[in-house]
Amino acid sequence: MRVLNTKNYEEMSALAAEIIGAQILLKPRCVLGLATGSSPIGTYQQLVREYQAGRLDFSCVRTVNLDEYCGLPAGSPHSYRYFMDHNLFNHVNIRLENTYLPNGTALDMEFEAQRYEMQIENLGGVDLQLLGIGHNGHIGFNEPSDSFPPTVHPVRLTSSTIHANSRLFDRIEDVPTQAITMGVGTILKAQRILLIAGPDKGEIVKKALYGKVTPQIPASVLQLHRDVTVITCEEA
Ligand code: GLP
């Protein structure tokens, strides 16, 4: 595992974008695993700048996102599809049909979970997976539990995650209580993993990277992957 310490959010974002950009240059038809939340917004802004400067071409890139809320109406500004379109996809030359997220409005979530897992496999698997980390150590929406979920699955969100994510909604009652997420096993199948941890994540990152590997801290499983890069902020 490589831990790269940067001074602040801007430096963290620039470095993460450099690594993602390098992946696209090395393999233009790569499959990027993408994340939502506050942590990757700066990274996506930097990627858009690189595209606008003519240094990156997304025309052959495929993307699969980690997770999606369940039950939000199609087009909801709180959906992760909306987040991805507005923070990245609409600003670069990626083909929208090459951008995949789980369908949070599917009628049968178990079926949708199996379908999405297969979809990732059919694309040939993820070359580089970008991850954020929740304050309780969650990755994607894999919440602390007694085991590591192997595949894409529906989840009930913990009250701490609902609370943390309520900052983006008008009222806490509007935050969905369920989501669908890649499993820890799905995430570990990526060739490379890039975890970005903003200034507010120092404590949990230390626990996850240097503590014992336990499903109570889902991100701790990254210690077992052969190619993980973690970018932290000095302020953390
Ligand atoms: C959400 C997402 C995660 C993300 C986490 C941290 O719950 N499902 O994928 O990593 O929040 O978000 P933030 O970067 O905003 O702290």
Side-chain angles (χ1 to χ4, degrees), residues 36-39 66-67 80 132-134 138 140-141 161 165 167 201:
T36 52
S38 314
S39 310
L66 279 169
D67 47 15
Y80 287 168
I133 180 170
H138 75 237
F141 270 131
T161 298
N165 292 1
R167 70 189 193 279
K201 300 289 171 50

Side-chain angles (χ1 to χ4, degrees), residues 18-28 30 32 127-128 192:
E18 256 185 68
I19 294 172
I20 296 169
Q23 172 67 70
I24 298 172
L25 289 173
L26 287 171
K27 186 177 175 189
C30 62
L32 298 177
D127 292 295
L128 174 63
R192 287 199 185 83

Side-chain angles (χ1 to χ4, degrees), residues 68-72 104 109-110 141 153-158 162 175-181:
E68 178 58 284
Y69 285 121
C70 291
L72 289 175
M109 275 303 153
E110 293 294 342
F141 270 131
H153 60 288
V155 274
R156 187 160 281 286
L157 301 180
T158 62
I162 292 175
V175 185
T177 54
Q178 276 183 294
I180 176 166
T181 180

Side-chain angles (χ1 to χ4, degrees), residues 48-203:
V48 170
R49 281 194 284 269
E50 288 296 300
Y51 164 72
Q52 287 167 342
R55 287 191 286 268
L56 278 183
D57 175 12
F58 287 80
S59 60
C60 299
V61 171
R62 283 90 45 85
T63 65
V64 286
N65 260 77
L66 279 169
D67 47 15
E68 178 58 284
Y69 285 121
C70 291
L72 289 175
S76 160
H78 296 299
S79 72
Y80 287 168
R81 161 53 76 183
Y82 184 96
F83 175 100
M84 290 310 303
D85 287 350
H86 284 78
N87 284 291
L88 181 64
F89 301 152
N90 289 348
H91 309 293
V92 296
N93 65 335
I94 199 161
R95 291 157 173 248
L96 276 189
E97 64 267 28
N98 286 342
T99 64
Y100 300 90
L101 282 95
N103 177 6
T105 62
L107 289 179
D108 182 341
M109 275 303 153
E110 293 294 342
F111 183 80
E112 171 58 14
Q114 286 176 26
R115 189 200 62 79
Y116 194 61
E117 183 80 25
M118 282 296 292
Q119 180 123 61
I120 299 169
E121 256 183 63
N122 291 343
L123 289 168
V126 173
D127 292 295
L128 174 63
Q129 176 67 54
L130 177 66
L131 292 179
I133 180 170
H135 286 284
N136 60 6
H138 75 237
I139 45 177
F141 270 131
N142 292 279
E143 298 280 25
S145 78
D146 294 335
S147 60
F148 290 114
T151 55
V152 179
H153 60 288
V155 274
R156 187 160 281 286
L157 301 180
T158 62
S159 52
S160 84
T161 298
I162 292 175
H163 186 260
N165 292 1
S166 67
R167 70 189 193 279
L168 304 167
F169 290 76
D170 291 338
R171 303 174 317 154
I172 194 161
E173 300 78 49
D174 297 338
V175 185
T177 54
Q178 276 183 294
I180 176 166
T181 180
M182 284 189 198
V184 168
T186 324
I187 293 170
L188 289 181
K189 276 196 231 154
Q191 297 292 328
R192 287 199 185 83
I193 295 179
L194 174 60
L195 174 76
I196 51 178
D200 55 329
K201 300 289 171 50
E203 269 311 300

